[in-house]
Amino acid sequence: MSAAGTSMPRIVEVRKNILKHNDELARQLRRKYADAGVFVVSLVSSPGSGKTAFLEKTLTKLAHTHRTAALVGDLATDNDAARLARSGAPVRQITTGTTCHLDAAMVEKALDGWDLGILDFLFIENVGNLVCPSSFDLGESFRVVLLSVTEGEDKPLKYPTIFHSADMAVITKIDLGEACEFDLATARDNIHAVAPGMPIHEVSAKTGTGMDAWIEFLAQRRSAA
Amino acid sequence: MHELSIAMSMIDVAEEEAATRGSQPVTAIYVKIGALSGVAPDALSAAYELARENTDLANARLVIEQVPGHELLVTALEFES
């Protein structure tokens, strides 16, 4: 109400999602992936958890039966793209500069000129970070969070948001489990405490343990999608 | 520190909305931040101070309401009348 010439500020209700631009673009990407028939898997984890070794093994194994490609995000360098390219799959590096996560626009730009229709799987390796990537939908079909035995069993409790946002957890470097006195049962309980019922795989990219089961799981998920 | 990306998205959304509601300056932006959204309110406030420079929100206060859940919403804008 205004009285005697003074006026009150005008407040207007808006109710708009802060990330609506990213979410809209992610929806478009999701539709594009579905039209192309490509199953898109994103990988998130802290730096040094073995994402790239795990992805390199995954690409190499899938190469026998499927057509794959990968995008890999880092702040700087194309070292990971060079490593992943050894699998024979097409790989593109996204260097984010100072940004601590990928977003849908970066993914869209990196895909420019690629024919998704010829692919069965596209992998997106996010920047190593357990906080920032959780808020940004990339349009992926399936999000995997990695936890290495060297990080300790309580990571899921310390970073619940990212574990909660994922569809599956993979425990990596299990060949080092004993040396790190890693308690697998506790780790599984902690993952399920923040994400009840989430599927968990245990692998070692180095020795190959658990990799065949993971590949089989992926193929099944793709057929079910 | 993805709060800078979040602050910039927030300002984009607010500028868009403000443009459809006339030309008066925005004096405040009201947002809801969910506890499970992965966004830290203090970091968002600090990021907003940097991000708002030279935008339509340069003189707008940021008012954050913390809520449970995953919400990340611009709920209202205040205009000079």
Side-chain angles (χ1 to χ4, degrees):
Chain A
M1 281 292 141
S2 57
T6 61
S7 54
M8 300 285 285
R10 183 169 63 101
I11 295 181
V12 177
E13 192 180 350
V14 171
R15 291 200 71 80
K16 284 279 178 325
N17 186 346
I18 290 174
L19 289 172
K20 78 179 181 118
H21 291 133
N22 188 78
D23 290 352
E24 269 163 24
L25 193 52
R27 259 196 302 278
Q28 287 169 25
L29 285 172
R30 190 165 279 122
R31 212 172 305 127
K32 188 168 153 180
Y33 301 151
D35 290 347
V38 57
F39 191 71
V40 181
V41 180
S42 76
L43 305 178
V44 291
S45 78
S46 48
S49 66
K51 278 191 300 302
T52 309
F54 175 67
L55 182 52
E56 186 183 351
K57 266 284 163 62
T58 300
L59 292 171
T60 304
K61 281 195 170 282
L62 277 173
H64 303 299
T65 49
H66 294 83
R67 288 158 303 177
T68 62
L71 300 178
V72 53
D74 281 296
L75 269 64
T77 83
D78 61 0
N79 295 351
D80 281 3
R83 267 177 76 186
L84 291 173
R86 295 191 302 212
S87 68
V91 178
R92 279 185 183 165
Q93 179 84 44
I94 304 175
T95 42
T96 61
T98 56
T99 308
C100 46
H101 59 87
L102 295 179
D103 63 28
M106 294 180 203
V107 169
E108 189 197 36
K109 194 168 159 227
L111 289 176
D112 187 42
W114 261 3
D115 179 6
L116 294 177
I118 62 165
L119 294 177
D120 299 316
F121 288 99
L122 170 69
F123 293 88
I124 305 175
E125 181 185 331
N126 215 314
V127 177
N129 186 314
L130 271 183
V131 182
C132 309
S134 63
S135 305
F136 295 86
D137 187 358
L138 306 178
E140 67 266 61
S141 326
F142 201 68
R143 184 182 282 186
V144 179
V145 59
L146 278 67
L147 165 69
S148 69
V149 300
T150 56
E151 294 171 65
E153 303 86 355
D154 60 350
K155 266 282 167 72
L157 302 178
K158 290 176 175 166
Y159 299 87
T161 309
I162 195 108
F163 280 85
H164 195 76
S165 80
D167 300 296
M168 177 183 189
V170 171
I171 301 176
T172 59
K173 307 188 189 180
I174 54 161
D175 54 301
L176 299 177
E178 213 167 304
C180 300
E181 298 183 346
F182 185 79
D183 183 347
L184 213 45
T186 304
R188 296 179 70 98
D189 286 350
N190 289 342
I191 291 168
H192 285 150
V194 297
M198 178 183 274
I200 302 173
H201 264 288
E202 293 145 23
V203 302
S204 164
K206 190 174 164 195
T207 65
T209 308
M211 287 304 293
D212 286 336
W214 154 247
I215 296 297
E216 200 174 310
F217 177 88
L218 270 183
Q220 275 171 11
R221 286 307 295 234
R222 179 176 180 272
S223 321
Chain B
M1 257 301 281
H2 67 309
E3 279 78 5
L4 189 56
S5 316
I6 302 283
M8 282 156 44
S9 303
M10 197 169 82
I11 290 168
D12 280 351
V13 170
E15 282 184 325
E16 250 176 47
E17 291 298 321
T20 67
R21 291 172 164 83
S23 55
Q24 286 133 324
V26 182
T27 49
I29 170 171
Y30 292 80
V31 299
K32 271 190 184 167
I33 303 298
L36 298 175
S37 68
V39 174
D42 287 352
L44 182 63
S45 294
Y48 175 73
E49 290 307 313
L50 300 172
R52 69 174 170 165
E53 266 185 50
N54 300 319
T55 73
D56 295 349
L57 277 83
N59 297 310
R61 285 175 298 126
L62 171 64
V63 183
I64 298 175
E65 181 188 351
Q66 292 178 254
V67 295
H70 292 90
E71 271 185 321
L72 273 181
L73 284 181
V74 178
T75 54
L77 295 174
E78 183 187 276
F79 295 91
E80 206 174 277
S81 56

